[in-house]
Amino acid sequence: MALSGRKGRGVREDRRRDTGRNIRTGTEAGTATRAGVTLWLKKIYGDMPIPEYEVNERTVDILHEVMEFNEERDKDVTLLIEDMKDRATKYEEGAKYWQDILGESLGLSEGSLSLEANKDLTDLVESALDLNVEDTSLTSFYSAINNMTSELYETKSENEELELELNTLTKKLTSALVLEKKLEEDIEKLKESQEAEKAEAEIQLKDLKFLENKSVDLKIRISDAEEKLVAMGMDQSLTHEALMKSSEELAALEKEIEPLKNEVASYHDLPLSIPLARVKVEEARKELQALEEEFTREVQALPFEKT
């Protein structure tokens, strides 16, 4: 038990030492980064004061990334300058070599050439530079011209494609503008129509409100007049409400007696006495018998084919 306890305390102490070591390492790295950024800013601004900024972990990290990027860029620029210097040295040595050969072998120098020869030589050099050839041989010039011709055709083809796309886009844009204008006109018409309908609805609402107020006013005036007439001794059955109620009852009664009226109307054609009714029945029987005999004669008179 004691041994295990000592081991546990030892592990905890080791962890505390590791944690403290990591904290010190991170703090030292942060301090070194901040110092490097400060030196870089002093180098950039020189004698000028460094602008104030909020110093925290985030700003220091951002400035450190910018510092590293600038240092890499400066290295690239330095390498490029050194490469250009090396090339310039090589070109100068090559020019001096060919100048010595031309001067010693052919006796040619810049002063011995005529003005026209110097002009032609200058044009040749400028053409070589424009065509980006390695030398001034005809093969290099022909190759460069062929390459430029191919690039010209490719550029022309690309320009034609771009022009075609531009025309297509122009047509689409024109159609879109026409559609947009039509939509704007439709929206404007719809707004005008809605405004007209809104104005008409407001007028109708005002009229309805006026009629409602007028109806309430008339009801009040009728009620007041009826109360005055009742006070003067008028019968209650002659009031507006009583007359309306009586009218509704009369309409209901007329609707109820309508079937009775139809039933009574069916008896209006009957004779007023039983003997007369018997005579009517006998006449109807004789008429029916006569019709049957006539129908029989017409059937017998029809021609039938023998089979």
Side-chain angles (χ1 to χ4, degrees):
M1 295 291 290
L3 181 60
S4 62
R6 285 195 297 272
K7 287 183 178 179
R9 285 194 298 273
V11 171
R12 287 194 293 273
E13 291 176 357
D14 291 339
R15 288 180 180 176
R16 283 196 295 272
R17 284 195 297 271
D18 293 339
T19 303
R21 190 181 300 111
N22 292 334
I23 293 173
R24 287 194 299 273
T25 301
T27 305
E28 292 173 357
T31 303
T33 301
R34 185 178 301 175
V37 169
T38 303
L39 292 175
W40 173 67
L41 291 174
K42 289 181 178 179
K43 180 180 178 182
I44 291 177
Y45 287 96
D47 297 334
M48 298 175 62
I50 299 174
E52 295 183 359
Y53 65 94
E54 183 179 354
V55 180
N56 53 42
E57 185 178 355
R58 183 172 181 275
T59 56
V60 171
D61 289 341
I62 293 173
L63 290 173
H64 187 262
E65 291 179 1
V66 175
M67 179 188 72
E68 290 180 345
F69 175 79
N70 284 345
E71 289 178 351
E72 291 294 331
R73 186 188 61 180
D74 292 340
K75 290 180 181 178
D76 293 339
V77 171
T78 303
L79 292 174
L80 181 62
I81 292 173
E82 292 177 356
D83 182 64
M84 295 296 291
K85 287 180 178 179
D86 291 339
R87 289 190 179 187
T89 303
K90 291 180 180 179
Y91 291 153
E92 289 177 357
E93 291 176 355
K96 187 175 183 305
Y97 171 75
W98 287 107
Q99 188 176 6
D100 293 340
I101 290 177
L102 292 174
E104 294 176 358
S105 302
L106 303 176
L108 296 175
S109 63
E110 186 177 357
S112 64
L113 295 176
S114 63
L115 182 62
E116 185 177 358
N118 280 326
K119 183 176 179 301
D120 293 338
L121 184 60
T122 303
D123 293 339
L124 182 64
V125 172
E126 290 178 355
S127 299
L129 292 174
D130 292 336
L131 294 175
N132 195 19
V133 295
E134 295 181 356
D135 51 43
T136 56
S137 64
L138 291 177
T139 304
S140 298
F141 276 107
Y142 285 144
S143 298
I145 292 172
N146 289 332
N147 292 334
M148 291 189 69
T149 304
S150 299
E151 292 177 359
L152 178 62
Y153 283 127
E154 290 178 0
T155 305
K156 186 177 180 181
S157 178
E158 291 177 358
N159 289 336
E160 290 177 354
E161 292 178 358
L162 291 174
E163 186 176 358
L164 182 60
E165 291 180 0
L166 179 61
N167 292 333
T168 304
L169 292 175
T170 303
K171 291 180 181 179
K172 290 182 179 180
L173 179 60
T174 303
S175 301
L177 291 175
V178 172
L179 180 60
E180 182 183 5
K181 185 177 180 181
K182 187 176 183 302
L183 289 174
E184 290 178 352
E185 293 176 354
D186 293 340
I187 291 172
E188 190 66 26
K189 291 180 181 178
L190 182 60
K191 287 182 180 179
E192 293 176 357
S193 176
Q194 289 178 346
E195 290 177 356
E197 291 178 356
K198 183 178 179 181
E200 186 177 356
E202 290 178 353
I203 294 173
Q204 292 178 353
L205 184 62
K206 290 180 181 178
D207 293 342
L208 180 61
K209 189 68 177 177
F210 172 77
L211 292 175
E212 289 179 351
N213 295 333
K214 193 68 176 177
S215 175
V216 172
D217 181 60
L218 289 174
K219 286 181 180 179
I220 295 173
R221 292 171 62 183
I222 289 172
S223 179
D224 294 341
E226 288 177 350
E227 290 178 357
K228 290 181 181 179
L229 291 174
V230 170
M232 293 172 63
M234 186 187 74
D235 190 359
Q236 287 283 350
S237 62
L238 297 178
T239 61
H240 178 71
E241 293 181 357
L243 291 174
M244 290 295 296
K245 185 176 181 181
S246 299
S247 176
E248 293 175 356
E249 293 176 352
L250 178 61
L253 290 174
E254 288 180 351
K255 188 175 181 180
E256 290 179 359
I257 65 174
E258 186 68 25
L260 298 177
K261 286 182 178 180
N262 295 333
E263 186 176 355
V264 171
S266 63
Y267 292 102
H268 286 173
D269 294 336
L270 295 177
L272 300 178
S273 63
I274 294 176
L276 289 176
R278 289 176 180 174
V279 172
K280 283 281 187 183
V281 170
E282 187 63 28
E283 289 178 354
R285 185 182 294 112
K286 289 180 179 179
E287 185 175 357
L288 178 59
Q289 185 177 0
L291 290 173
E292 288 179 353
E293 291 176 355
E294 185 178 358
F295 177 72
T296 302
R297 285 194 301 270
E298 290 182 356
V299 170
Q300 291 175 354
L302 291 174
F304 292 98
E305 295 182 358
K306 296 181 179 181
T307 60

